[in-house]
Amino acid sequence: MNPMGDRYNIYSQLEHLQSKCIGTGHADTTKFEWMVNQHRDSCSSYLGHPDLLNYFAIAENESKARIKFNLMEKMLQPCGPPPDKPDDN
């Protein structure tokens, strides 16, 4: 076996996955970006599963439409505003 070939193959597969799916992250992904991706992915999963929406609606005593609206709103800034970027001076 060629360990360098295997390493290149794994790297190219990871690179392909990262180009297709934003949420997989990369070497320069910040903690905040990673958390935003996780929260948005969770909200979109909840929206795509009607049984979970029913469960949330019953648990929160809200209509399914209100739960959908709240989840969509939460996807805008799920972790609050982004942190200030440090100066590169």
Side-chain angles (χ1 to χ4, degrees), residues 1 4 6-7 15 21 24-25 32 35 38 40 43-44 47-49 54 57 64 66-67 69 72-74 76-77 79:
M1 290 191 77
M4 287 303 286
D6 292 342
R7 192 174 295 164
E15 197 172 60
C21 306
T24 56
F32 178 79
M35 286 302 297
Q38 294 300 312
R40 285 185 178 151
C43 287
S44 65
L47 287 168
H49 291 89
N54 290 337
K64 287 191 287 185
R66 173 57 62 181
I67 297 296
F69 177 79
M72 291 293 283
E73 286 260 311
K74 201 179 286 188
L76 290 175
Q77 283 190 336
C79 300

Side-chain angles (χ1 to χ4, degrees):
M1 290 191 77
N2 183 357
M4 287 303 286
D6 292 342
R7 192 174 295 164
Y8 177 74
N9 188 22
I10 290 170
Y11 179 75
S12 65
Q13 288 175 359
L14 183 61
E15 197 172 60
H16 177 69
L17 178 66
Q18 290 170 343
S19 70
K20 284 176 46 180
C21 306
I22 295 169
T24 56
H26 50 79
D28 296 327
T29 301
T30 65
K31 182 178 177 182
F32 178 79
E33 290 170 335
W34 186 82
M35 286 302 297
V36 166
N37 287 335
Q38 294 300 312
H39 281 258
R40 285 185 178 151
D41 191 43
S42 295
C43 287
S44 65
S45 179
Y46 302 152
L47 287 168
H49 291 89
D51 291 337
L52 273 176
L53 282 175
N54 290 337
Y55 176 77
F56 291 150
I58 291 170
E60 295 182 19
N61 196 24
E62 289 284 353
S63 68
K64 287 191 287 185
R66 173 57 62 181
I67 297 296
K68 282 184 181 181
F69 177 79
N70 289 342
L71 287 171
M72 291 293 283
E73 286 260 311
K74 201 179 286 188
M75 289 177 76
L76 290 175
Q77 283 190 336
C79 300
D84 295 333
K85 297 197 182 219
D87 291 335
D88 291 333
N89 294 346

